[in-house]
Amino acid sequence: MPKFKTFLLLFLLIQLFLPINNAFADTGPKPTMEFTFKQELSGETASITSGILYECEQPNCSDAAPLQQLGPQGFSCDGLSCSARAYGFSQYHKLEIQFSDGKTRQSNVFKTAGFDSKYTVTIQSDDLLVETHFSLVPSFSIGSIEIIACLCGLASVALIVGLIVFFVRRSRRK
């Protein structure tokens, strides 16, 4: 009977730490790209009205295909910034952005800079110049922080269960 009580107590304690939310199939972190635009044009600032991120396997982007909207994967713009999230990016990319001045400008071909890539896009009179930001400081995405929090929670549960087992065995020896 004491073993059953110990098992029941451990089972109930473990239930306290289990998440109540439904589990989703695709919860892991995904590669991202952040584009910040700066203008070299004189006059009124042109804002972004729409944009397309092309994915390419060839260095000259001759095989360009738009990044598809699939679940969390996609490309979006607002004002003077754009962002992309994907299950995995191709090695080469090209931007095509339509601005409030009525012009559609294309960028140079650029490479994926890393898991969470950051770029500065210079708006020129007829085209866009994409430059990569390199940082020695790692950037943590929300997904990375969630994984670290889950691992800390799991370690805490393991510590609590270990302490309960230790004290139950110790009390039996007395």
Side-chain angles (χ1 to χ4, degrees):
M1 194 65 166
K3 285 185 180 182
F4 177 73
K5 286 182 182 177
T6 305
F7 176 76
L8 183 62
L9 180 63
L10 286 174
F11 179 77
L12 291 175
L13 283 173
I14 290 172
Q15 293 298 313
L16 290 174
F17 293 102
L18 292 178
I20 296 172
N21 298 343
N22 293 334
F24 296 100
D26 189 17
T27 59
K30 313 227 175 344
T32 61
M33 291 182 173
E34 298 291 329
F35 301 91
T36 306
F37 288 74
K38 67 178 185 176
Q39 187 166 325
E40 280 193 354
L41 303 172
S42 59
E44 190 177 322
T45 303
S47 62
I48 299 168
T49 58
S50 66
I52 300 170
L53 174 65
Y54 291 101
E55 298 275 289
C56 317
E57 294 299 327
Q58 300 298 319
N60 64 357
C61 241
S62 58
D63 60 339
L67 179 67
Q68 295 180 334
Q69 280 292 135
L70 300 170
Q73 175 175 296
F75 181 73
S76 63
C77 298
D78 58 9
L80 285 177
S81 67
C82 293
S83 62
R85 174 171 295 190
Y87 291 107
F89 288 113
S90 296
Q91 187 172 4
Y92 299 99
H93 312 279
K94 189 175 187 178
L95 287 174
E96 182 178 282
I97 307 291
Q98 184 172 10
F99 292 91
S100 59
D101 64 1
K103 286 189 176 181
T104 300
R105 296 173 176 88
Q106 289 194 353
S107 74
N108 56 308
V109 177
F110 59 96
K111 291 179 89 172
T112 304
F115 191 79
D116 290 320
S117 307
K118 298 194 184 318
Y119 304 91
T120 299
V121 183
T122 305
I123 306 168
Q124 300 173 337
S125 59
D126 295 322
D127 59 3
L128 303 170
L129 176 63
V130 178
E131 297 173 299
T132 306
H133 282 282
F134 288 105
S135 175
L136 297 177
V137 179
S139 61
F140 290 103
S141 66
I142 298 297
S144 301
I145 294 170
E146 289 173 348
I147 290 171
I148 292 169
C150 287
L151 290 174
C152 289
L154 186 61
S156 299
V157 169
L159 179 66
I160 290 169
V161 169
L163 287 172
I164 290 171
V165 169
F166 173 76
F167 285 119
V168 167
R169 287 186 178 178
R170 185 174 171 198
S171 67
R172 286 186 183 165
R173 289 183 185 165
K174 289 183 179 183

